[in-house]
Amino acid sequence: MSILTQLKRPHGLVILAFVATLSLQYLLNTPDIGGAESQHRLLGENARQLAEAEEAHHFERFLQHISTKSLEDEINEEFATRYASAAAAGRLEGAIAPTQTDEQASHAIREIQPYTLQDALEESKVWKRAFGILVYDPERDIFVGHYNRKNKWLNCNKKLFNALRTLAFILRKVFPDRFCGADCDELVIPVGAGDAPHVYKWKLPYTSGKAPTLMFGSAFRDTSLYSNMIAMPMPTPLHLQCFGQWAKNDGTEVCKLLQSSTGEGVVFFDDLGLKWNDLTPQVVSRTTDFTYLPTLQDGKNDGRGWRFLEDRPIPSRFIHEGEPTEEKRANAIQALNEQYDTLAPRWKAVALTAQAELDAGKDELPWANIKLSKFSGGRGKVPTVGSDAYSQWESVGIATGEVMGPQELAHYKYHIDLAGGGGTTWTGTVDKLAMPGLLFHHLSPTKDYIHDRLKPWKHYIPVRPDLRDLKAKFDWAEAHPTQAKIISEAGTAFMRNLGTLEGFGQMYDEVMVEPLRRIIEAYQPISKLQLDPEFWSWKDILKANKEEPVIECTGLSSGRFSCKMVQNQSVLNWEKYGTFVAR
């Protein structure tokens, strides 16, 4: 980005004035009042404040995209009445939502324009990690994943490599004639992975990209933020692994995790013999205390800087020892409410639950039952109940809750899929759609590939990012039980359909096969460009742009042994120490 472009940003005039002041001092040869040391401190402090203000601006602008795209979640008496009347008259389909939105655009397949290797390389400049360029190497008849030397090597790369492995397998399985060795051309596909896109915030919105970028993880809900990004299945057993299994079995078997089951699969009504009126009328969730969109919030590049929305707030800021227990609890709830806007979504839900419990007293059932049952400890997820880290919260009956399994959760009438690290829940949405109860779907700046197949007010009731309308949505559902049951049943029917050969096969074709077909058709190989292949091979171009080969996949299976990491010393050290050093 040019200096001129940066100066046009918010705070640009401040930067310009600051630079002009320093320039004038230099030209007049007049020292600053405090001397060189003071000037350096002033420069450092101003730079820090400007950087923090700029980061805040970018994240605030990022969050505003969801606010302007969420008109479908407005709920008022007029709409509720119209909806209820339409449902009673059997005309529910025509009254699903008051406005037509991106959420309702379903799974329309995006057009992909012709692109080149150079276009793919431009995508690499937008990402800071967990991004690779997958290249089919005709000479060796293998797929090679490249990673840019400027990027850190972090744990999130595991998701990227899992995605590359399955992608290579599906490409060869579905399009065998395109990958025929030396008689075929190379193919280049940009690929991102992770909880959310690990991109530079200051690059957003990114609208100049040509190469389609496959995002195996949560993608931006507002497609104008990254216009050429395509949401793909998340690299987990319930999502991408199911797609790989479908390809492996030639479309003859749907993975067990999507089947009706009282074991490890999703839970349906008939698994437990439950009826709608048997369900407990509370909004329930047991979730992990996890950071919210950390890669797009961090004020520092190391991922450990200040954040704009707080997860795991410090108990001493809310709980004052020495007070009677009930008074201490009431004051802590009041403090949470006062700091509500600064809390991450899952802690917002904690605050709502604590207030609901306080209002209900001992004789009534609180409308919300949302607790943090686990947190990220040094060795994975650790229960909050009984832990030292949450002992102060537990002492006043706030935030912590026992772990509840799917079959226990299924006895509740209302569920919510609270956004986590990537801005979604990955498995939570589909698990809760399948359950007997109604899903309150938490909207955030990101979405998963499967969200494009769902419609608000048909499969779920949408809830704002700040959750301030959750109680109103609960009240509406309680006042309109017939309509709430219809929406719940539609969500369950959607999940049942995914567990069938026809339903999953249709999703597989639309989500995976058709986009890949269009990508293959859109890519312009080196042989079609006016370049001398003797001097401009795709390998030379990648090397010149610091794209390092790090993983090689045969594409012959989706198993982990179908790929191997490149074993040169530079890559080994990169993986070990996190930064690339040429050897």
Side-chain angles (χ1 to χ4, degrees), residues 228-259:
N228 51 312
M229 179 178 287
I230 300 175
M232 300 298 283
M234 296 78 77
T236 65
L238 185 58
H239 296 285
L240 186 57
Q241 191 170 312
C242 285
F243 280 73
Q245 182 177 332
W246 178 266
K248 177 183 177 181
N249 295 320
D250 297 314
T252 61
E253 181 181 338
V254 180
C255 68
K256 299 296 184 184
L257 292 177
L258 288 172
Q259 302 296 309

Side-chain angles (χ1 to χ4, degrees), residues 438-472:
L438 168 67
L439 174 63
F440 291 112
H441 176 43
H442 182 211
L443 298 177
S444 82
T446 58
K447 66 175 182 178
D448 298 335
Y449 76 100
I450 204 165
H451 294 170
D452 286 335
R453 311 183 71 80
L454 301 169
K455 293 182 179 181
W457 300 104
K458 177 179 180 181
H459 300 107
Y460 63 83
I461 292 181
V463 178
R464 285 188 176 279
D466 62 7
L467 303 179
R468 289 190 180 277
D469 62 338
L470 180 57
K471 177 61 164 60

Side-chain angles (χ1 to χ4, degrees), residues 137-156:
D137 183 347
E139 293 181 7
R140 301 174 61 199
D141 194 23
I142 62 171
F143 296 86
V144 182
H146 295 75
Y147 198 65
N148 196 280
R149 295 181 181 182
K150 70 176 174 60
N151 292 340
K152 293 283 188 179
W153 192 299
L154 301 175
N155 284 336
C156 56

Side-chain angles (χ1 to χ4, degrees), residues 72-209:
E72 80 277 12
D73 73 335
E74 293 291 348
I75 179 66
N76 52 50
E77 184 176 354
E78 178 184 357
F79 172 68
T81 301
R82 179 164 58 88
Y83 186 94
S85 299
R91 293 181 286 103
L92 183 62
E93 186 69 26
I96 289 171
T99 57
Q100 181 68 20
T101 66
D102 287 350
E103 191 88 27
Q104 291 176 277
S106 188
H107 39 80
I109 300 172
R110 191 180 310 172
E111 292 295 331
I112 298 173
Q113 60 181 312
Y115 73 99
T116 65
L117 170 57
Q118 187 57 48
D119 294 326
L121 290 169
E122 289 298 315
E123 300 302 302
S124 184
K125 299 175 183 178
V126 184
W127 293 70
K128 52 187 173 183
R129 56 181 174 269
F131 172 86
I133 295 179
L134 184 67
V135 181
Y136 173 66
D137 183 347
E139 293 181 7
R140 301 174 61 199
D141 194 23
I142 62 171
F143 296 86
V144 182
H146 295 75
Y147 198 65
N148 196 280
R149 295 181 181 182
K150 70 176 174 60
N151 292 340
K152 293 283 188 179
W153 192 299
L154 301 175
N155 284 336
C156 56
N157 283 7
K158 294 178 181 178
K159 295 183 176 72
L160 173 63
F161 299 142
N162 285 340
L164 293 179
R165 181 179 67 243
T166 304
L167 177 59
F169 170 64
I170 292 177
L171 281 168
R172 192 183 287 278
K173 183 76 172 179
V174 178
F175 307 101
D177 295 340
R178 175 59 181 83
F179 307 104
C180 58
D183 292 333
C184 288
D185 289 310
E186 86 283 353
L187 177 67
V188 177
I189 304 177
V191 178
D195 290 350
H198 293 271
V199 298
Y200 294 106
K201 292 190 294 293
W202 57 271
K203 290 279 191 179
L204 301 175
Y206 175 65
T207 59
S208 60

